Amino acid sequence: MRLTADILLRADSYLNAVKDRELNLRGFKIANIENFAVLEDQHDTIDLSDNELKKLDNFPLMNRLQTLLLNNNYISRIDISITNKLINLNHIILTNNKIN
């Protein structure tokens, strides 16, 4: 599924158990990360579990994001420039991916 700005803006967003603002994009069959700039850096956590992502790239500058949940995808590559875009990323969960 193509990740449109409309899908991002309509996705569930809530305070999670640790009081972080979380965006739930779980199970949308997303193949590529795109259009995240419309989120305006409003989330501490983004859940992209159970999708069809193959590589981790194409993020805009997101100062607030601290946690990425990426369980059960097909990720085999992570773009090195992600560290320049997700400055405060502290946690990245990659359980059940294709990382070698």
Side-chain angles (χ1 to χ4, degrees):
M1 173 184 277
R2 187 173 170 93
L3 188 56
T4 65
D6 188 50
I7 290 171
L8 286 168
L9 294 173
R10 290 177 184 249
D12 288 339
S13 182
Y14 49 85
L15 286 178
N16 65 18
V18 294
K19 305 277 192 243
D20 284 344
R21 173 63 57 191
E22 182 170 334
L23 180 67
N24 183 0
L25 296 170
R26 181 183 283 260
F28 279 80
K29 299 201 183 284
I30 298 165
N32 296 305
I33 294 172
E34 53 190 340
N35 298 313
F36 269 43
V38 302
L39 298 175
E40 299 177 349
D41 198 20
Q42 297 179 18
H43 298 89
D44 303 297
T45 301
I46 297 177
D47 187 351
L48 284 158
S49 300
D50 302 318
N51 282 292
E52 297 177 356
L53 296 170
K54 293 181 180 166
K55 59 184 175 177
L56 200 53
D57 66 352
N58 203 26
F59 281 94
L61 180 62
M62 298 179 86
N63 293 315
R64 184 172 175 177
L65 187 66
Q66 296 177 21
T67 304
L68 271 176
L69 305 173
L70 297 158
N71 304 306
N72 304 320
N73 279 284
Y74 303 100
I75 298 170
S76 61
R77 258 195 263 172
I78 300 174
D79 186 0
I80 195 154
S81 71
I82 197 172
T83 58
N84 298 326
K85 303 288 185 169
L86 307 178
I87 297 166
N88 290 310
L89 187 66
N90 293 322
H91 309 286
I92 183 168
I93 310 300
L94 290 161
T95 306
N96 198 24
N97 277 282
K98 307 285 183 188
I99 303 285
N100 291 329

